[in-house]
Amino acid sequence: MPIPMTSNTLYLVRHGENPANVNREFSYKIVDYSLNERGVRQAQETAAYFANGSVRVDAIFSSPLKRALETAQIIGAQTGHGVSIIEEFREINCGEFDGAPPTSERWRHHDEILEAWRTGDHQVSFPGGENYLTLLDRVRVGLERAVVGRNGQHIVIVAHGGIVTASLKDVCRELDPGVIQSAPNRNCAITELDLHTRGEESWGHLKRWASCEHLSE
């Protein structure tokens, strides 16, 4: 008997702005700021988008970091949903960079690692942190947790620019890498995809990348 396939629509929302964005700080666990004033406004505008009736929301999940959780809670307050935390949606484990001064040398090293991942060198790790294979594995686990027992639902996941941008090329099938490079994943941007699951296999189909049309700025 064939294994049935389930399909759900995911809205991957990057959190609103926080001091780490302004100061260009690395943030995985040690650095964990709340939203700043602009970030709250971005989250409120994103909440209005999901609450205006044109987009259905069945569930909301979030990274455990404050900037993501607060964004998700602002959305949930307008849509009438509670927020469930999924640890696997935490930002990239940048290891020794977390909490360290954001020097130009560290940022150069950071960008070199992400470029290595993008071009297929997946074993490269952040010092004391994770490599791409570990990152992708936990993203897949997080997505499985978000859609388990669901079919035909619309799910909001508030996470981070780094983890979403890095992993999308392998979460989605037949994805043109140029799409991701065509626009930055700004604070409170929405990436929409359909996630299909059959047994232990899952694959996504990208519908929108890093849309900011709902934001006033």
Side-chain angles (χ1 to χ4, degrees):
M1 185 174 180
I3 301 174
M5 183 180 76
T6 62
S7 298
N8 295 279
T9 299
L10 306 185
Y11 301 98
L12 307 181
V13 180
R14 187 184 177 193
H15 59 79
E17 187 180 271
N18 73 106
N21 298 135
V22 177
N23 302 325
R24 300 201 75 217
E25 294 178 66
F26 300 102
S27 173
Y28 168 63
K29 281 188 177 180
I30 296 173
V31 176
D32 187 14
Y33 294 116
S34 291
L35 298 174
N36 60 20
E37 183 178 347
R38 184 183 186 192
V40 170
R41 185 168 63 252
Q42 291 167 336
Q44 290 171 339
E45 291 176 347
T46 306
Y49 167 80
F50 284 113
N52 69 9
S54 63
V55 178
R56 196 178 95 214
V57 175
D58 295 297
I60 301 176
F61 295 95
S62 174
S63 154
L65 290 167
K66 290 177 184 177
R67 57 192 183 273
L69 181 57
E70 291 171 6
T71 302
Q73 289 171 336
I74 290 171
I75 296 171
Q78 289 205 36
T79 63
H81 294 83
V83 176
S84 298
I85 292 175
I86 294 183
E87 169 65 28
E88 287 80 6
F89 293 141
R90 184 182 291 273
E91 182 59 292
I92 293 172
N93 180 355
C94 57
E96 297 171 9
F97 290 3
D98 189 17
T103 63
S104 58
E105 175 62 22
R106 286 196 177 94
W107 271 108
R108 181 190 62 77
H109 193 179
H110 168 278
D111 293 345
E112 287 176 349
I113 293 169
L114 294 189
E115 177 63 15
W117 291 0
R118 188 183 69 81
T119 56
D121 193 351
H122 295 161
Q123 298 286 355
V124 176
S125 299
F126 279 90
E130 66 187 343
N131 64 23
Y132 179 73
L133 299 177
T134 303
L135 173 76
L136 182 60
D137 282 348
R138 68 177 172 94
V139 168
R140 291 193 186 282
V141 170
L143 293 175
E144 289 172 4
R145 292 183 61 189
V147 303
V148 64
R150 302 178 186 275
N151 188 26
Q153 295 199 1
H154 293 68
I155 303 164
V156 174
I157 297 173
V158 184
H160 304 273
I163 189 172
V164 171
T165 303
S167 64
L168 203 64
K169 67 185 181 70
D170 288 305
V171 169
C172 292
R173 287 182 177 174
E174 300 177 355
L175 177 64
D176 178 2
V179 173
I180 296 177
Q181 298 173 40
S182 66
N185 193 4
R186 300 185 185 278
N187 292 112
C188 277
I190 300 172
T191 294
E192 180 182 355
L193 60 92
D194 289 332
L195 188 70
H196 310 293
T197 305
R198 180 183 288 115
E200 296 183 355
E201 182 185 16
S202 64
W203 64 97
H205 172 71
L206 183 66
K207 299 172 73 175
R208 280 190 298 162
W209 163 249
S211 172
C212 293
E213 295 178 359
H214 59 290
L215 299 175
S216 61
E217 299 180 11

